[in-house]
Amino acid sequence: MKKFILLPLFAVLFFIMNISGAKAQISGAAGPVKNHLISVIINPTYALTATSSTNAYNFSSATQLTNGITTIGAVSLDYSANALTKIMVNASTANFAGGSGSNPMPSTVLTITNGVNTAALTTTPQAIATSLPKGTGTVSIDYKITPGLTYDAAADYAISLVYTLTSN
Amino acid sequence: MEFRYIVLVLIFITAGLSSYAQERPASTPGNNYTASTTITVKIPRIANITLSENRTRQIPDLSSGTDIPATENQMLKSIESNGKWAIDVVNTDVEYNKAENRQASSTRPSRTLIYITSQP
């Protein structure tokens, strides 16, 4: 029974002695010691730039309107991120501005591809490049626009595309 | 006495870690991560006219009209256009030169003149 009482007592005494010894060592040092905690916060960081701001298409024949015009490397997207990312694309409006108000040209006449993923442009964001690695990189985007013969002649058709870099 | 210090240190450490966890922002994008581009498109009023011999003539601007002197056995087969158009077919025994706005020849054999214009 005495063992059960003495053993914890010895353990406590041993612990106190160790603490005192450590304190004695610190007291014998050259000066006071201060711990300096360095905290680092790394937020998810994304950056995306487009190398060209405007792409102009000037159709001159029915064949072009029917078969479409393709532009390889129409825009290059430079990105940097500290996480796995993907690039989404969407149209700012459902239809092109300009032309006939009663027969507007929809955004879907424009097809976008990076050689792997292809999307007809809509106002709903669609993934055009996925599983982009951390760091910096460039994604080349091709455009193909095929109005056909449905839409009126006009010189002021225009639409804005929005590319968004987001976590994968 | 030392136990009190130990307990106090533990309390400070715990409080510090808790505060750090609360102040750490959620997954908030740190920088600009969108880019915009604009696409402009010009579509002229155009048409293609296909004749029976598979000859295709492009009319760059229907608003000014064009004429097609069809030779023997050539007949209008199809028109593809993004505008409204009208066709006048005139039988004549002379070739009509629209550019010079006069009869080019009166010695040619009988021809059919197809004149296409746009409609508003």
Side-chain angles (χ1 to χ4, degrees):
Chain A
M1 190 64 182
K2 287 181 180 179
K3 289 180 181 178
F4 292 109
I5 296 173
L6 290 177
L7 277 176
L9 185 62
F10 284 143
V12 170
L13 286 173
F14 181 72
F15 184 72
I16 292 172
M17 287 171 66
N18 276 344
I19 294 294
S20 300
K23 186 178 177 182
Q25 286 180 354
I26 291 173
S27 300
V33 176
K34 291 184 178 180
N35 292 324
H36 185 201
L37 178 64
I38 297 176
S39 66
V40 178
I41 298 175
I42 300 178
N43 288 312
T45 301
Y46 307 95
L48 182 67
T49 56
T51 54
S52 64
S53 59
T54 302
N55 294 85
Y57 293 88
N58 191 358
F59 287 87
S60 60
S61 70
T63 302
Q64 281 185 330
L65 287 170
T66 306
N67 297 335
I69 296 177
T70 299
T71 305
I72 304 297
V75 62
S76 292
L77 301 171
D78 296 332
Y79 71 90
S80 61
N82 60 356
L84 292 177
T85 52
K86 59 184 176 183
I87 295 178
M88 312 290 285
V89 62
N90 66 279
S92 58
T93 56
N95 300 313
F96 280 73
S100 171
S102 61
N103 183 30
M105 186 162 68
S107 62
T108 51
V109 300
L110 180 64
T111 303
I112 299 171
T113 181
N114 69 338
V116 179
N117 301 310
T118 301
L121 186 65
T122 68
T123 54
T124 302
Q126 301 175 77
I128 195 66
T130 58
S131 300
L132 298 173
K134 297 176 183 176
T136 60
T138 300
V139 176
S140 182
I141 301 294
D142 306 336
Y143 290 162
K144 182 178 183 181
I145 182 165
T146 313
L149 296 169
T150 307
Y151 308 105
D152 292 348
D156 60 348
Y157 287 110
I159 196 167
S160 292
L161 281 67
V162 179
Y163 292 97
T164 303
L165 186 69
T166 184
S167 59
N168 202 36
Chain B
M1 196 64 178
E2 289 79 5
F3 284 118
R4 291 182 181 178
Y5 289 127
I6 292 172
V7 171
L8 281 174
V9 168
L10 288 175
I11 289 172
F12 281 126
I13 290 174
T14 305
L17 289 175
S18 176
S19 175
Y20 169 76
Q22 288 178 356
E23 290 177 0
R24 187 181 182 186
S27 298
T28 304
N31 292 319
N32 178 31
Y33 59 100
T34 62
S36 298
T37 63
T38 300
I39 292 178
T40 62
V41 179
K42 292 182 180 178
I43 299 177
R45 181 174 290 179
I46 53 180
N48 272 346
I49 301 169
T50 302
L51 304 178
S52 60
E53 292 184 356
N54 293 325
R55 294 183 181 180
T56 299
R57 180 176 298 231
Q58 181 183 324
I59 302 173
D61 186 1
L62 278 174
S63 61
S64 62
T66 191
D67 51 35
I68 299 176
T71 56
E72 301 84 1
N73 298 322
Q74 285 189 354
M75 297 180 66
L76 183 64
K77 187 177 180 181
S78 66
I79 290 179
E80 55 179 354
S81 171
N82 60 348
K84 296 178 180 178
W85 40 265
I87 300 176
D88 294 321
V89 179
V90 180
N91 289 317
T92 179
D93 59 352
V94 296
E95 183 179 12
Y96 182 76
N97 189 322
K98 184 174 183 295
E100 299 178 5
N101 195 25
R102 65 178 175 79
Q103 293 180 354
S105 171
S106 61
T107 60
R108 298 289 183 88
S110 178
R111 294 169 184 274
T112 299
L113 185 70
I114 304 171
Y115 187 70
I116 300 177
T117 59
S118 64
Q119 287 189 334

